[in-house]
Every structure is written in structure tokens, then in C-alpha cells.
Amino acid sequence: MRRLTLVLALTLTARLIAQAPDFVQAGLDPFAAFFDAADPAAALAEADKLAARQIDFDTAYARLKKGRTYGDEKRGEYALRWKSKSGPFFNNVVNVPPDFDPATPIQLRVQLHGGVGRPSPNAVAPGREAPGRGTNRIEGERQIYLHPSAWADAAWWDEEQVDNILRAVDALKRKYNIDESRTYLTGISDGATGVYYLAMKLPTPWASYLPLNGSIGVLANFDTGADGEMYGNNFVNDPLYIVNGEQDPLYPVAGVEPHIRWFKAMGVPLVFRPQAGAGHNTNWWPTERAPFESFVHDHPRVAHPEKLSWETERVDKFNRNRWL
């Protein structure tokens, strides 16, 4: 039981402890390889090694609470790239503030773009320059931005795309001192629909969800090809900030209002911001930016809510909601 408890503890990366154990101060840290692991699989292998050493629980817990030490990583804009199963490269564009301080936790915004029905814009051979993300239409506060890439064969509601987003977020958290309680998800148009999808299927990493100019109704269309079943009650613990334009030809306010009523009937915490006269654009951003950012600040991630509602058709994937 003691070993099992240790293995479980090793999967946690909580921080906030005043003093490191003696072996760390002496420069003999058996946890270094665990914290330096490049991905979850490598971390799990190191966790098994640590469990075999039978380090006493209090020492292990203290070291895990302290967490990793972050170095001086790359700033500015760059790409995290790896090949997809369909051939093109995922081109996840990262933007890090030039004054990023490794000692201070920083907020992370994951922002999903629209137009996923197009062919991949990322079919660039290795060694060549990857395409950029274009203009950020909702530039916000000082934070790290992650712009994943999607296309027709790797839409936001595709299983491989979900793995891509998780991989990119994990890679950033291993390099930068990202605030676990302030990692949130937003998107425009198809990106907003992707936000709804991830809120239903994969809520654990996110603090809040801000779908802009989109519709959850897209996921009800069989032709969309969304992976898995959609369970609306999974939104109960998902704070939503929803923006739609009154004259949007794709997802007008009148078309999404039934979804808003449905959310409210389930007790979903939400703010709905209909934009009078607006079309399928973000011309409203200059006046919407302040309430958007206030919502993010007012909704940090609750890691251990007292009550959860969760339903899934799979036990191998989409199988976790916070502590459940």
C-alpha cells in the first residue's frame, strides 16, 4: 500500500513548499530525472524507478510538493511541430512574453482557430520554415499563448487532435512555470465548437472555456464526424463565457439562445454576451476584452470540486474529470 501511494503521489506536480528535503540541498536529487522527463511516458518510467527505491513517503511528498526548477527558456514566437497520422505536421505556435520570469507562475491561453474544414496549411517538409498562425484577433493580457493547428483530417473534435493539444500543453508545462489554476481554452467559429467539445470530453486541464462565434449544435451533426458520444451534463462544472453576433450568418444569437437556456437549466455556470448587429467577426473585441479577461480572472481552476457530473462511453480515453 505504501508503494502504491508513492506511485500515485509521483504523478502529481503540485508545488508550494517552503523547504526542499536534505538530499536536494546536498545536490543528490533522485527526483531530477522525473522532473526533467520530456513527456508523460518518460515521467511514468522514472516514477517506477523512484518507487523501487522505496523512498519514505514524507520525503517523497515534500520533494513533489516543491516541484521542478524552471530555467531560462525560449521567448517570443516559435512552433512545436510533430507529424500527424494523416501526413501533415501539427504546427502549434507558441508565443512567450519577452519579460517572462521563470520564478513566477504565468497564465496560459490555448486558442483554437476557425476554418477547420480546409486542407492542412502545415504540410511543410522538415527543415523548411513552418507557416505562422496569422494575426491574433483577440490579443489579451500578458500570458503565454498556444495556437494549435487543425484542418479537415484533424479537426478539433478528432481524437488525434485532442492528443496533439494535450501534448503541446504538457510540453509547455514541462518548460515554463505555467499556473495550473489559470490554463484556459478559447476559440473562434470552428474553434469555439472545439472548445465545447473539449469541455465535454476533457475538462481536467482547464480553468474556464470561452467559445466565441461558435455553436455546440455543430457537434450534433453526424457529418461533423466528432469522435465519441456527446454528454451535455458534463458541462456542469465548466464555466462558460459565450459570445455570438446578432447578425452572424452561421451562428446567430437566435440560433444559440436555445443552447443557453439548456445550459442554464442544467445549472452550468455561464455568461452569455450577445453582440448587437455583429456578424461572423470579432469587431466587438475592443469593448469585449475587459469583461472577457475579468471572467478569466474570476474563474481559476477548481481542482477538487465537492460535486462532479461526468458521463463517458470509454474507459481508456475521455475517462477523467478532475479527481474522478
Side-chain angles (χ1 to χ4, degrees):
M1 177 62 71
R2 193 175 187 84
R3 177 174 294 188
L4 175 60
T5 303
L6 176 58
V7 171
L8 292 174
L10 287 169
T11 66
L12 304 176
T13 55
R15 307 174 184 116
L16 305 176
I17 192 170
Q19 185 174 357
D22 291 341
F23 61 73
V24 176
Q25 297 178 17
L28 303 173
D29 186 2
F31 290 80
F34 171 75
F35 285 114
D36 291 341
D39 53 50
L44 182 60
E46 294 300 331
D48 289 340
K49 294 177 185 178
L50 285 168
R53 295 184 63 157
Q54 298 185 333
I55 301 170
D56 71 272
F57 180 83
D58 290 339
T59 299
Y61 184 69
R63 180 64 187 91
L64 291 166
K65 289 278 283 184
K66 177 177 172 57
R68 61 171 54 87
T69 299
Y70 296 91
D72 188 14
E73 297 289 346
K74 186 183 299 185
R75 292 166 169 79
E77 186 172 296
Y78 66 94
L80 297 173
R81 304 186 71 232
W82 36 75
K83 196 170 185 179
S84 70
K85 294 177 182 177
S86 59
F89 279 75
F90 286 109
N91 190 59
N92 304 289
V93 178
V94 179
N95 195 288
V96 180
D99 60 346
F100 168 69
D101 178 7
T104 304
I106 189 170
Q107 183 169 281
L108 171 64
R109 176 197 286 181
V110 179
Q111 187 161 295
L112 310 182
H113 64 74
V116 300
R118 303 185 181 99
S120 170
N122 306 316
V124 178
R128 295 182 59 190
E129 183 178 356
R133 60 173 165 81
T135 302
N136 184 354
R137 288 183 285 171
I138 53 170
E139 196 80 50
E141 293 190 356
R142 176 186 172 278
Q143 59 196 315
I144 294 178
Y145 291 84
L146 171 64
H147 298 260
S149 63
W151 58 93
D153 292 329
W156 303 124
W157 39 87
D158 178 83
E159 184 175 322
E160 187 184 13
Q161 180 62 250
V162 173
D163 291 340
N164 168 60
I165 294 171
L166 289 179
R167 180 177 177 181
V169 170
D170 179 77
L172 291 176
K173 287 183 176 180
R174 292 180 184 279
K175 295 173 63 178
Y176 299 96
N177 190 0
I178 289 173
D179 190 337
E180 295 279 357
S181 67
R182 297 195 178 277
T183 298
Y184 68 102
L185 186 66
T186 187
I188 300 171
S189 191
D190 281 342
T193 302
V195 171
Y196 286 122
Y197 180 79
L198 288 168
M200 274 192 290
K201 307 296 283 187
L202 195 78
T204 302
W206 317 110
S208 56
Y209 308 83
L210 298 96
L212 313 174
N213 293 348
S215 173
I216 191 175
V218 174
L219 298 172
N221 185 343
F222 180 80
D223 292 336
T224 300
D227 283 339
E229 299 294 329
M230 305 297 119
Y231 301 104
N233 53 288
N234 288 355
F235 283 105
V236 170
N237 293 94
D238 298 341
L240 294 170
Y241 186 97
I242 303 169
V243 178
N244 287 93
E246 181 185 31
Q247 302 298 326
D248 188 331
L250 299 179
Y251 313 117
V253 168
V256 301
E257 282 180 328
H259 307 151
I260 303 300
R261 292 194 292 269
W262 177 54
F263 287 143
K264 289 182 176 179
M266 290 190 293
V268 176
L270 67 84
V271 171
F272 181 44
R273 301 280 293 180
Q275 303 296 311
H280 195 68
N281 54 57
T282 54
N283 293 340
W284 38 259
W285 179 242
T287 57
E288 198 61 29
R289 173 173 170 170
F292 176 105
E293 300 290 4
S294 294
F295 181 87
V296 171
H297 280 283
D298 292 343
H299 292 85
R301 177 177 176 268
V302 180
H304 305 289
E306 293 184 2
K307 295 181 180 180
L308 287 171
S309 178
W310 186 247
E311 189 171 359
T312 183
E313 78 281 11
R314 299 178 62 172
V315 294
D316 64 319
K317 200 176 187 71
F318 308 135
N319 57 4
R320 180 180 177 184
N321 186 358
R322 279 74 169 185
W323 48 262
L324 177 63

